[in-house]
Amino acid sequence: MIEIMKQNKLLKPLLAVLLLALLPQTAAAYDFMVGGLCYNRNDDGTSVYVTNQKSVGPSYSNLSSNLVIPATVTYSGKTYSVTSIGGNAFWNCSGLTSVTIPNSVTSIGNYAFWYCSGLTSVTIGNSVTSIGTGAFRACSGLTSLTIPNSVTSIGASAFCECRGLTSVTIPNSVTSIGASAFCDCSGLTSVSIPNSVSRLGALAFYNCSGLKTVSIGTGLVTMDLSTGDVPLPVFSGCNALTSVTWNAKNCADFTSSTTPFSAANSSIKSFTIGGQVQRIPAYLCYQMTSLTSVTIPNSVTSIGSEAFKGCSGLTSLTIPNSVTSIGSEAFKGC
C-alpha cells in the first residue's frame, strides 16, 4: 500500500508536466481567407494548409456547425490544393458538430480540433497518414470513429478525454499509437490493436474505465511502461477490464513487475494466448489476482520468469507438450 501511494504521488506531478507541455502554441497570421476559412501557403507555392483565424480561442467565431473542408481553394486567380489541417486550426470551436476532411489532406496537425466539445461526427479522408498530438482531445461529443487505412501514426493524446466515444476502429495501417492517445475514453468497452501496431505509448488507454475486452495484435514489439521510477502502464486505471487476448508473438520480455496491465490486475479474469505466440514474456500476467482462466496454445515453447506469479485465483492450468522451458517463479504464489 505504501508503494502504491508513493507511485501515485510520483505519477500526478508527471501528468501535470505532460499536460502543460500539451498546451497549444500561438499561431502565425494567415495568408488569406476564402469561404470563411483561413489558409497559409506551403513552401511549394502550390498548396496550402488550413489555419486558425485567431491565436486565442475559439479559433473561429462564425464557423458553420457542419464543416466541409474543400480539397482545393482559389485565391486571386490561383488554385491551391489543401494538403493539411494546421496546428490549433479549429481549437475550442465548441459549436462545430460535424467535419469532413477531404482526400487531398495528408496530415491533421497538433491540437487541430482540441476542445471541439460539440463535435459528433468526423469523416477523415483516405489520404491522411498522421493524426497529430491532441488533435481531437476533449471532443467529448464524438461517439464513434473510423480511422482510414492510410493512417500510420496516432499522436500522443490524440483522442484523450473523448469520453463519449463508444467505439473506435484502428486500421491495419497504423504502426504506432502515442502516449495517452485514448486516455480517459471512459465510453470505450472494447479495443482491438491491429497486427500492424509495433509500439504502444505509455498510458495509451489510461483510465478507460468502461473498457472490458482487449485484443493485442501479432505485431506488437514494445510498450512504453515507465519514465524513470514512475510506472506508466498502458492499461492503468482500466478497472473494468475482464478479458485479454494476447497475440503478440515478438513482444520483448517485461523487465519488472510493471506490465501493460498493472493497476488492472484485480479485474482481469480471462487471458488467452494466441496460436502464433511461441514465447510468453516475463511478468506478462504478474499479480493478476482475479485471473481464473488461462489458455496456452500448442505453439508456445517457453514461459518467461514470473509470467503468472501471484495469480492466486487460478485453480487449474494446462501446459501443452510444446513447452520446453519455464522461467524462474513463473507460477509462484498460484
PDB file of all heavy atoms in Angstrom, residues 94-119:
ATOM      1  N   SER A  94     -16.503  25.063 -30.108  1.00  0.00           N
ATOM      2  CA  SER A  94     -17.462  24.166 -29.462  1.00  0.00           C
ATOM      3  C   SER A  94     -18.769  24.037 -30.238  1.00  0.00           C
ATOM      4  O   SER A  94     -19.520  23.081 -30.031  1.00  0.00           O
ATOM      5  CB  SER A  94     -17.752  24.643 -28.037  1.00  0.00           C
ATOM      6  OG  SER A  94     -18.247  25.976 -28.050  1.00  0.00           O
ATOM      7  N   GLY A  95     -19.055  24.971 -31.152  1.00  0.00           N
ATOM      8  CA  GLY A  95     -20.275  24.903 -31.937  1.00  0.00           C
ATOM      9  C   GLY A  95     -20.190  23.980 -33.133  1.00  0.00           C
ATOM     10  O   GLY A  95     -21.199  23.704 -33.788  1.00  0.00           O
ATOM     11  N   LEU A  96     -18.988  23.486 -33.401  1.00  0.00           N
ATOM     12  CA  LEU A  96     -18.776  22.587 -34.534  1.00  0.00           C
ATOM     13  C   LEU A  96     -19.373  21.217 -34.225  1.00  0.00           C
ATOM     14  O   LEU A  96     -19.061  20.615 -33.200  1.00  0.00           O
ATOM     15  CB  LEU A  96     -17.274  22.459 -34.794  1.00  0.00           C
ATOM     16  CG  LEU A  96     -16.783  21.905 -36.122  1.00  0.00           C
ATOM     17  CD1 LEU A  96     -17.291  22.750 -37.277  1.00  0.00           C
ATOM     18  CD2 LEU A  96     -15.257  21.870 -36.123  1.00  0.00           C
ATOM     19  N   THR A  97     -20.244  20.704 -35.120  1.00  0.00           N
ATOM     20  CA  THR A  97     -20.881  19.407 -34.871  1.00  0.00           C
ATOM     21  C   THR A  97     -20.405  18.304 -35.822  1.00  0.00           C
ATOM     22  O   THR A  97     -20.407  17.130 -35.451  1.00  0.00           O
ATOM     23  CB  THR A  97     -22.409  19.521 -34.979  1.00  0.00           C
ATOM     24  OG1 THR A  97     -22.756  20.002 -36.286  1.00  0.00           O
ATOM     25  CG2 THR A  97     -22.951  20.483 -33.925  1.00  0.00           C
ATOM     26  N   SER A  98     -20.018  18.670 -37.036  1.00  0.00           N
ATOM     27  CA  SER A  98     -19.508  17.646 -37.958  1.00  0.00           C
ATOM     28  C   SER A  98     -18.390  18.225 -38.821  1.00  0.00           C
ATOM     29  O   SER A  98     -18.398  19.417 -39.148  1.00  0.00           O
ATOM     30  CB  SER A  98     -20.629  17.085 -38.844  1.00  0.00           C
ATOM     31  OG  SER A  98     -21.053  18.045 -39.796  1.00  0.00           O
ATOM     32  N   VAL A  99     -17.448  17.365 -39.177  1.00  0.00           N
ATOM     33  CA  VAL A  99     -16.309  17.778 -40.002  1.00  0.00           C
ATOM     34  C   VAL A  99     -16.064  16.717 -41.067  1.00  0.00           C
ATOM     35  O   VAL A  99     -16.039  15.518 -40.776  1.00  0.00           O
ATOM     36  CB  VAL A  99     -15.023  17.941 -39.166  1.00  0.00           C
ATOM     37  CG1 VAL A  99     -13.815  18.179 -40.073  1.00  0.00           C
ATOM     38  CG2 VAL A  99     -15.163  19.097 -38.191  1.00  0.00           C
ATOM     39  N   THR A 100     -15.898  17.176 -42.302  1.00  0.00           N
ATOM     40  CA  THR A 100     -15.495  16.294 -43.390  1.00  0.00           C
ATOM     41  C   THR A 100     -14.140  16.771 -43.910  1.00  0.00           C
ATOM     42  O   THR A 100     -14.000  17.914 -44.341  1.00  0.00           O
ATOM     43  CB  THR A 100     -16.523  16.306 -44.539  1.00  0.00           C
ATOM     44  OG1 THR A 100     -17.796  15.880 -44.034  1.00  0.00           O
ATOM     45  CG2 THR A 100     -16.093  15.382 -45.664  1.00  0.00           C
ATOM     46  N   ILE A 101     -13.158  15.893 -43.833  1.00  0.00           N
ATOM     47  CA  ILE A 101     -11.795  16.219 -44.260  1.00  0.00           C
ATOM     48  C   ILE A 101     -11.549  15.546 -45.608  1.00  0.00           C
ATOM     49  O   ILE A 101     -11.711  14.325 -45.736  1.00  0.00           O
ATOM     50  CB  ILE A 101     -10.776  15.733 -43.210  1.00  0.00           C
ATOM     51  CG1 ILE A 101     -11.043  16.456 -41.871  1.00  0.00           C
ATOM     52  CG2 ILE A 101      -9.343  15.980 -43.681  1.00  0.00           C
ATOM     53  CD1 ILE A 101     -10.229  15.914 -40.713  1.00  0.00           C
ATOM     54  N   PRO A 102     -11.162  16.294 -46.639  1.00  0.00           N
ATOM     55  CA  PRO A 102     -11.079  15.738 -47.999  1.00  0.00           C
ATOM     56  C   PRO A 102      -9.871  14.812 -48.196  1.00  0.00           C
ATOM     57  O   PRO A 102      -8.940  14.786 -47.382  1.00  0.00           O
ATOM     58  CB  PRO A 102     -10.951  16.991 -48.866  1.00  0.00           C
ATOM     59  CG  PRO A 102     -10.236  17.978 -47.986  1.00  0.00           C
ATOM     60  CD  PRO A 102     -10.770  17.728 -46.598  1.00  0.00           C
ATOM     61  N   ASN A 103      -9.896  14.091 -49.309  1.00  0.00           N
ATOM     62  CA  ASN A 103      -8.812  13.158 -49.625  1.00  0.00           C
ATOM     63  C   ASN A 103      -7.500  13.861 -49.962  1.00  0.00           C
ATOM     64  O   ASN A 103      -6.444  13.213 -50.000  1.00  0.00           O
ATOM     65  CB  ASN A 103      -9.214  12.265 -50.795  1.00  0.00           C
ATOM     66  CG  ASN A 103     -10.341  11.315 -50.437  1.00  0.00           C
ATOM     67  OD1 ASN A 103     -10.522  10.977 -49.276  1.00  0.00           O
ATOM     68  ND2 ASN A 103     -11.103  10.873 -51.427  1.00  0.00           N
ATOM     69  N   SER A 104      -7.547  15.157 -50.206  1.00  0.00           N
ATOM     70  CA  SER A 104      -6.307  15.895 -50.509  1.00  0.00           C
ATOM     71  C   SER A 104      -5.437  16.089 -49.270  1.00  0.00           C
ATOM     72  O   SER A 104      -4.223  16.292 -49.375  1.00  0.00           O
ATOM     73  CB  SER A 104      -6.651  17.269 -51.101  1.00  0.00           C
ATOM     74  OG  SER A 104      -7.405  18.035 -50.154  1.00  0.00           O
ATOM     75  N   VAL A 105      -6.032  16.007 -48.096  1.00  0.00           N
ATOM     76  CA  VAL A 105      -5.319  16.262 -46.835  1.00  0.00           C
ATOM     77  C   VAL A 105      -4.523  15.032 -46.419  1.00  0.00           C
ATOM     78  O   VAL A 105      -5.047  13.917 -46.380  1.00  0.00           O
ATOM     79  CB  VAL A 105      -6.305  16.667 -45.726  1.00  0.00           C
ATOM     80  CG1 VAL A 105      -5.629  16.686 -44.357  1.00  0.00           C
ATOM     81  CG2 VAL A 105      -6.916  18.022 -46.045  1.00  0.00           C
ATOM     82  N   THR A 106      -3.239  15.237 -46.081  1.00  0.00           N
ATOM     83  CA  THR A 106      -2.374  14.128 -45.668  1.00  0.00           C
ATOM     84  C   THR A 106      -2.050  14.125 -44.179  1.00  0.00           C
ATOM     85  O   THR A 106      -1.593  13.103 -43.661  1.00  0.00           O
ATOM     86  CB  THR A 106      -1.047  14.161 -46.456  1.00  0.00           C
ATOM     87  OG1 THR A 106      -0.374  15.406 -46.201  1.00  0.00           O
ATOM     88  CG2 THR A 106      -1.293  14.014 -47.961  1.00  0.00           C
ATOM     89  N   SER A 107      -2.282  15.248 -43.491  1.00  0.00           N
ATOM     90  CA  SER A 107      -1.980  15.269 -42.060  1.00  0.00           C
ATOM     91  C   SER A 107      -2.932  16.192 -41.306  1.00  0.00           C
ATOM     92  O   SER A 107      -3.385  17.202 -41.837  1.00  0.00           O
ATOM     93  CB  SER A 107      -0.531  15.714 -41.816  1.00  0.00           C
ATOM     94  OG  SER A 107      -0.338  17.054 -42.226  1.00  0.00           O
ATOM     95  N   ILE A 108      -3.224  15.800 -40.072  1.00  0.00           N
ATOM     96  CA  ILE A 108      -4.028  16.615 -39.168  1.00  0.00           C
ATOM     97  C   ILE A 108      -3.101  17.074 -38.056  1.00  0.00           C
ATOM     98  O   ILE A 108      -2.524  16.259 -37.334  1.00  0.00           O
ATOM     99  CB  ILE A 108      -5.209  15.800 -38.595  1.00  0.00           C
ATOM    100  CG1 ILE A 108      -6.105  15.306 -39.748  1.00  0.00           C
ATOM    101  CG2 ILE A 108      -6.013  16.646 -37.616  1.00  0.00           C
ATOM    102  CD1 ILE A 108      -7.202  14.349 -39.304  1.00  0.00           C
ATOM    103  N   GLY A 109      -2.927  18.379 -37.926  1.00  0.00           N
ATOM    104  CA  GLY A 109      -1.916  18.947 -37.034  1.00  0.00           C
ATOM    105  C   GLY A 109      -2.241  18.823 -35.557  1.00  0.00           C
ATOM    106  O   GLY A 109      -3.356  18.454 -35.149  1.00  0.00           O
ATOM    107  N   ASN A 110      -1.252  19.171 -34.734  1.00  0.00           N
ATOM    108  CA  ASN A 110      -1.400  19.120 -33.289  1.00  0.00           C
ATOM    109  C   ASN A 110      -2.535  20.029 -32.813  1.00  0.00           C
ATOM    110  O   ASN A 110      -2.626  21.192 -33.227  1.00  0.00           O
ATOM    111  CB  ASN A 110      -0.101  19.540 -32.610  1.00  0.00           C
ATOM    112  CG  ASN A 110       1.054  18.613 -32.931  1.00  0.00           C
ATOM    113  OD1 ASN A 110       0.853  17.496 -33.398  1.00  0.00           O
ATOM    114  ND2 ASN A 110       2.268  19.072 -32.680  1.00  0.00           N
ATOM    115  N   TYR A 111      -3.395  19.491 -31.974  1.00  0.00           N
ATOM    116  CA  TYR A 111      -4.498  20.234 -31.337  1.00  0.00           C
ATOM    117  C   TYR A 111      -5.470  20.849 -32.344  1.00  0.00           C
ATOM    118  O   TYR A 111      -6.153  21.817 -32.035  1.00  0.00           O
ATOM    119  CB  TYR A 111      -3.933  21.340 -30.419  1.00  0.00           C
ATOM    120  CG  TYR A 111      -2.739  20.914 -29.629  1.00  0.00           C
ATOM    121  CD1 TYR A 111      -1.469  21.385 -29.948  1.00  0.00           C
ATOM    122  CD2 TYR A 111      -2.872  20.007 -28.592  1.00  0.00           C
ATOM    123  CE1 TYR A 111      -0.357  20.958 -29.246  1.00  0.00           C
ATOM    124  CE2 TYR A 111      -1.766  19.580 -27.890  1.00  0.00           C
ATOM    125  CZ  TYR A 111      -0.507  20.055 -28.216  1.00  0.00           C
ATOM    126  OH  TYR A 111       0.583  19.617 -27.521  1.00  0.00           O
ATOM    127  N   ALA A 112      -5.525  20.293 -33.548  1.00  0.00           N
ATOM    128  CA  ALA A 112      -6.340  20.892 -34.611  1.00  0.00           C
ATOM    129  C   ALA A 112      -7.801  21.060 -34.204  1.00  0.00           C
ATOM    130  O   ALA A 112      -8.431  22.071 -34.527  1.00  0.00           O
ATOM    131  CB  ALA A 112      -6.242  20.051 -35.880  1.00  0.00           C
ATOM    132  N   PHE A 113      -8.360  20.082 -33.493  1.00  0.00           N
ATOM    133  CA  PHE A 113      -9.772  20.146 -33.094  1.00  0.00           C
ATOM    134  C   PHE A 113      -9.922  20.018 -31.574  1.00  0.00           C
ATOM    135  O   PHE A 113     -10.970  19.590 -31.085  1.00  0.00           O
ATOM    136  CB  PHE A 113     -10.570  19.040 -33.792  1.00  0.00           C
ATOM    137  CG  PHE A 113     -10.620  19.195 -35.293  1.00  0.00           C
ATOM    138  CD1 PHE A 113      -9.705  18.546 -36.102  1.00  0.00           C
ATOM    139  CD2 PHE A 113     -11.578  19.997 -35.896  1.00  0.00           C
ATOM    140  CE1 PHE A 113      -9.742  18.681 -37.482  1.00  0.00           C
ATOM    141  CE2 PHE A 113     -11.623  20.135 -37.274  1.00  0.00           C
ATOM    142  CZ  PHE A 113     -10.708  19.486 -38.070  1.00  0.00           C
ATOM    143  N   TRP A 114      -8.908  20.402 -30.842  1.00  0.00           N
ATOM    144  CA  TRP A 114      -8.936  20.285 -29.386  1.00  0.00           C
ATOM    145  C   TRP A 114     -10.096  21.098 -28.794  1.00  0.00           C
ATOM    146  O   TRP A 114     -10.336  22.237 -29.173  1.00  0.00           O
ATOM    147  CB  TRP A 114      -7.593  20.779 -28.818  1.00  0.00           C
ATOM    148  CG  TRP A 114      -7.371  20.458 -27.362  1.00  0.00           C
ATOM    149  CD1 TRP A 114      -8.050  19.563 -26.606  1.00  0.00           C
ATOM    150  CD2 TRP A 114      -6.375  21.035 -26.519  1.00  0.00           C
ATOM    151  NE1 TRP A 114      -7.542  19.527 -25.342  1.00  0.00           N
ATOM    152  CE2 TRP A 114      -6.519  20.428 -25.250  1.00  0.00           C
ATOM    153  CE3 TRP A 114      -5.398  22.004 -26.703  1.00  0.00           C
ATOM    154  CZ2 TRP A 114      -5.701  20.756 -24.170  1.00  0.00           C
ATOM    155  CZ3 TRP A 114      -4.580  22.320 -25.626  1.00  0.00           C
ATOM    156  CH2 TRP A 114      -4.730  21.709 -24.379  1.00  0.00           C
ATOM    157  N   TYR A 115     -10.816  20.494 -27.875  1.00  0.00           N
ATOM    158  CA  TYR A 115     -11.942  21.120 -27.181  1.00  0.00           C
ATOM    159  C   TYR A 115     -13.109  21.474 -28.100  1.00  0.00           C
ATOM    160  O   TYR A 115     -13.893  22.365 -27.780  1.00  0.00           O
ATOM    161  CB  TYR A 115     -11.502  22.354 -26.403  1.00  0.00           C
ATOM    162  CG  TYR A 115     -10.890  22.007 -25.060  1.00  0.00           C
ATOM    163  CD1 TYR A 115      -9.567  22.314 -24.782  1.00  0.00           C
ATOM    164  CD2 TYR A 115     -11.643  21.368 -24.075  1.00  0.00           C
ATOM    165  CE1 TYR A 115      -8.999  21.984 -23.555  1.00  0.00           C
ATOM    166  CE2 TYR A 115     -11.084  21.039 -22.853  1.00  0.00           C
ATOM    167  CZ  TYR A 115      -9.762  21.352 -22.591  1.00  0.00           C
ATOM    168  OH  TYR A 115      -9.203  21.015 -21.390  1.00  0.00           O
ATOM    169  N   CYS A 116     -13.248  20.790 -29.206  1.00  0.00           N
ATOM    170  CA  CYS A 116     -14.460  20.930 -30.021  1.00  0.00           C
ATOM    171  C   CYS A 116     -15.497  19.988 -29.404  1.00  0.00           C
ATOM    172  O   CYS A 116     -15.802  18.907 -29.945  1.00  0.00           O
ATOM    173  CB  CYS A 116     -14.170  20.575 -31.477  1.00  0.00           C
ATOM    174  SG  CYS A 116     -13.114  21.774 -32.323  1.00  0.00           S
ATOM    175  N   SER A 117     -16.045  20.409 -28.282  1.00  0.00           N
ATOM    176  CA  SER A 117     -16.874  19.521 -27.458  1.00  0.00           C
ATOM    177  C   SER A 117     -18.199  19.161 -28.098  1.00  0.00           C
ATOM    178  O   SER A 117     -18.828  18.169 -27.730  1.00  0.00           O
ATOM    179  CB  SER A 117     -17.120  20.164 -26.093  1.00  0.00           C
ATOM    180  OG  SER A 117     -17.704  21.448 -26.241  1.00  0.00           O
ATOM    181  N   GLY A 118     -18.654  19.947 -29.072  1.00  0.00           N
ATOM    182  CA  GLY A 118     -19.919  19.656 -29.746  1.00  0.00           C
ATOM    183  C   GLY A 118     -19.779  18.739 -30.940  1.00  0.00           C
ATOM    184  O   GLY A 118     -20.777  18.341 -31.546  1.00  0.00           O
ATOM    185  N   LEU A 119     -18.539  18.402 -31.287  1.00  0.00           N
ATOM    186  CA  LEU A 119     -18.282  17.587 -32.476  1.00  0.00           C
ATOM    187  C   LEU A 119     -18.795  16.161 -32.271  1.00  0.00           C
ATOM    188  O   LEU A 119     -18.385  15.469 -31.343  1.00  0.00           O
ATOM    189  CB  LEU A 119     -16.781  17.573 -32.759  1.00  0.00           C
ATOM    190  CG  LEU A 119     -16.302  17.019 -34.096  1.00  0.00           C
ATOM    191  CD1 LEU A 119     -16.893  17.813 -35.250  1.00  0.00           C
ATOM    192  CD2 LEU A 119     -14.776  17.053 -34.168  1.00  0.00           C
TER     193      LEU A 119
END
